[in-house]
Amino acid sequence: MSVDQATFRSVLGRFASGVTIITVRDGDVDHGMTASAFCSLSLDPPLTLVCVDRSTRMHELLTVAEAYAVSLLASHQEAISRRFAEPPDDTRFDGIGFDRGVTGAPLLHEALAHVECEVVDRHAGGDHTIIIGRVIAADAWDARPLLYYRGGYAELGR
């Protein structure tokens, strides 16, 4: 027995998730995409995972990248999330402040937190690939998170 896609999407849409921008540096070019399929995997060793759709440009990059970075977005960064959810172009990072982390990947300014990872494994998962990374650097600041819930952006109640 199997659940149809509409039901599956409806049920999982009720699970609120944080919104992130996954970034990599490929030669002289920065790449990034919005992702809500990001989570911690292990504390010892510190591991995270991100799930990337096989049809995206980032999938191509992350299947060969040695490292990636994650910026966990704050509630005021919805416009950035929307920009990085669009098909990639050469202007994606224009006007967006960022610093380079130890991986060389962009870390977006004003994010709630940053995590930088070395890729340690990749696993096929349906139409996505699960990228597992060992955390090599991380920072966090106090702010409210940007959330994704039932197909749209949401904020925590007070």
Side-chain angles (χ1 to χ4, degrees), residues 62-118:
L62 287 169
T63 58
V64 296
E66 295 180 9
Y68 61 92
V70 182
S71 294
L72 285 71
L73 298 185
S75 62
H76 68 278
Q77 294 181 301
E78 181 179 332
I80 291 172
S81 173
R82 289 184 184 281
R83 179 190 283 196
F84 281 83
E86 295 294 321
D89 65 33
D90 294 340
T91 64
R92 181 164 272 182
F93 285 90
D94 289 359
I96 301 219
F98 65 86
D99 295 312
R100 295 223 179 269
V102 297
T103 64
L107 301 172
L108 303 186
H109 288 177
E110 300 183 26
L112 181 64
H114 296 132
V115 179
E116 295 185 81
C117 299
E118 291 178 340

Side-chain angles (χ1 to χ4, degrees), residues 33 51-60 127-129:
M33 66 170 263
C51 301
V52 181
D53 188 317
R54 291 177 190 224
S55 69
T56 65
R57 171 74 176 123
M58 280 295 284
H59 182 269
E60 290 177 42
D127 57 3
H128 283 59
T129 295

